[in-house]
Amino acid sequence: MSTIRDKLREYRTAGYYTEFEYHWTMAVDLDRCTGCEACVVACQAENNLPIVGEKRMRQGREMKWLRIERYWDGDYPDARLNFIPMLCQHCDEAPCEIACPVFATYHNQDGLNAQVYNRCIGTRTCAVYCPYEVRFFNWFTYTWDEPLEQQLNPDVTVREKGVMEKCTFCVQRINRAKDLARDEDRRVADGEAQPACAQACPTDAIVFGDRNDPDSAVSRKLEDPRAYKVLEELNTHPSVVYLKNAREPLAGHEDDDHHGEESDSHAASPVMWSEESSEAVA
Amino acid sequence: MSIGVFEAARPVIKGLIIAVLAIVGAYIGHWAHGAMLNDYTPVQPIEFSHEVHAGENEIPCEYCHSWAGRSATAGVPSVETCVGCHKGLTEVRDTPDVVKLFDYWERGEGIPWVKVHDTPDFVHFRHKPHIRGGVECQTCHGPVEEMVRVTRRVDLNENLRMPWCIDCHTEEDVANGRDCLTCHY
């Protein structure tokens, strides 16, 4: 007889889903990224993200499911700026899913890290467990001044106070693509489901698709030798893959193995945001 | 002396507390009964009778609610749709509700219908997959063609609460029917 406790243990065992129906994956080519933040704006518009204002921003309560992080290469004046778009990595072994006491966050059969707003009780444990700092808490019920509430996306819930939220890989668009595919009794074709950020990207740096399909654009990106995952060493198995920046090294920095072919991917992957790096940027 | 007064008043205070609790309980119970456990029959701006239109005249549901098979929402017909038929129906032109309809038409206003079957904002119910799966409208909405004023019947759909959805999704073995992201996103 299986008790609730057994069910919980089964659920929380790593790799609950061994095979995914679709395995939605995003590839971000950092060589193509110009840091224009069109994806950030597109995400904001698509997913009903509130503008929290200057005061809340300073308190670290901004809502940005997708943000562009900046990293400096070299010292002034021979400095160069690198960008890395950071969003929910939809980890296959997500730390946040282990944390949630009420299963408001879980992994579904499409490899998506789901966040169920109506189940969330706002313990914020998931945000603590997330190594990528991409979960955001609604400290207030944010409102939109007239007539801005007219531009809210009806396909996305407007979140209330006390609820955790994060990037959903635009699941409303995925659901729509699946619905259209169901009409014709076929699988979703490559490029049919596009999140807002991938659609907005002017340089096509963001590519989204199904990893289970070997011919999809994202599967081809994964075979690129530049591919790496952020904080891979934590064994979170992220679904977002970054393609390393492969520019010429700066003059005077040829010795840095940051851009060398033989360097391991960890050394080349940017470090996470920290106090030191913020001071360096400032 | 003061202790003595308090001691004397104790049964009175106890009685008061019980009375307050009873009143609050009755109030909450009454509210819960009205909000969750009752049929819901709002009065509409025009006494539109589904019994006459869908029942006697056998107009199919999707003639007016034409988006049900194509999109998430079934939609209510525009005033234009109503007037399109009623312009030719001179024998009912003088009934009070048709006069009201033509008033809205001449003012160029929409009719502020009251929504009967509603789900919370965090539920994204979609009509299209249900129509595609062959679910009858009456399964969720009840025998609308027999209703003069549309009622949300609690005995039929448990006021559209989630266990009722999940029961059907499990019975019919819907693909990903028990996944949260199917409805909540």
Side-chain angles (χ1 to χ4, degrees), chain A residues 48-232:
Chain A
N48 301 341
L49 289 179
I51 309 287
V52 296
E54 194 184 335
K55 187 182 157 203
R56 307 270 174 244
M57 193 90 178
R58 239 185 277 130
Q59 291 169 333
R61 292 173 181 175
E62 87 268 43
M63 302 291 225
K64 269 186 183 176
W65 289 2
L66 168 59
R67 63 173 184 267
I68 303 279
E69 294 187 350
R70 310 185 299 175
Y71 296 95
W72 288 99
D73 227 7
D75 304 317
Y76 185 81
D78 295 324
R80 193 159 58 187
L81 198 50
N82 292 317
F83 302 103
I84 173 165
M86 184 51 65
L87 68 162
C88 175
Q89 307 282 311
H90 290 266
C91 315
D92 291 346
E93 309 282 348
C96 54
E97 289 168 11
I98 303 164
C100 186
V102 293
F103 305 103
T105 181
Y106 73 101
H107 224 63
N108 85 342
Q109 74 286 333
D110 289 347
L112 293 177
N113 182 255
Q115 175 70 29
V116 186
Y117 306 124
N118 46 320
R119 201 183 257 184
C120 178
I121 56 169
T123 64
R124 292 180 281 133
T125 326
C126 51
V128 176
Y129 275 43
C130 178
Y132 302 97
E133 304 275 332
V134 287
R135 287 180 156 269
F136 303 96
F137 187 66
N138 283 278
W139 290 94
F140 305 94
T141 298
Y142 297 101
T143 51
W144 282 259
D145 298 335
E146 284 205 35
L148 289 176
E149 89 281 358
Q150 302 281 336
Q151 53 91 46
L152 290 173
N153 186 352
D155 292 337
V156 179
T157 311
V158 177
R159 282 81 56 187
E160 282 193 355
K161 179 169 76 176
V163 170
M164 191 58 79
E165 62 182 62
K166 63 162 195 74
C167 164
T168 59
F169 266 178
C170 284
V171 67
Q172 69 278 8
R173 290 172 174 227
I174 293 174
N175 278 355
R176 189 187 141 77
K178 282 164 90 172
D179 185 42
L180 293 176
R182 199 73 172 278
D183 282 342
E184 295 162 23
D185 205 17
R186 60 175 169 82
R187 277 176 73 84
V188 178
D190 188 29
E192 260 187 328
Q194 285 291 311
C197 52
Q199 194 185 8
C201 187
T203 57
D204 289 338
I206 302 175
V207 176
F208 184 79
D210 179 16
R211 203 195 305 177
N212 284 354
D213 174 11
D215 298 325
S216 66
V218 74
S219 293
R220 289 200 296 277
K221 288 269 185 191
L222 290 181
E223 290 162 12
D224 197 301
R226 295 184 291 137
Y228 74 94
K229 291 168 180 173
V230 174
L231 296 182
E232 214 167 357

Side-chain angles (χ1 to χ4, degrees), chain B residues 1-114:
Chain B
M1 266 318 266
S2 60
I3 295 166
V5 169
F6 182 73
E7 287 291 317
R10 182 169 276 179
V12 179
I13 293 167
K14 205 174 175 182
L16 270 177
I17 290 172
I18 290 171
V20 167
L21 281 178
I23 290 166
V24 170
Y27 185 78
I28 292 173
H30 178 75
W31 171 80
H33 189 258
M36 301 177 201
L37 304 170
N38 246 0
D39 293 354
Y40 176 53
T41 318
V43 179
Q44 302 288 355
I46 292 180
E47 284 288 353
F48 174 86
S49 168
H50 277 86
E51 195 192 17
V52 171
H53 291 81
E56 285 173 27
N57 296 324
E58 293 180 357
I59 304 171
C61 305
E62 289 195 51
Y63 183 83
C64 300
H65 304 286
S66 53
W67 296 276
R70 311 183 237 154
S71 81
T73 50
V76 285
S78 58
V79 183
E80 203 178 354
T81 313
C82 305
V83 171
C85 284
H86 272 277
K87 258 193 176 158
L89 299 171
T90 43
E91 62 270 27
V92 292
R93 180 65 180 79
D94 294 329
T95 55
D97 288 307
V98 179
V99 169
K100 263 196 225 171
L101 168 71
F102 276 91
D103 284 349
Y104 279 113
W105 170 249
E106 276 150 28
R107 286 202 303 269
E109 282 177 18
I111 305 165
W113 299 109
V114 183

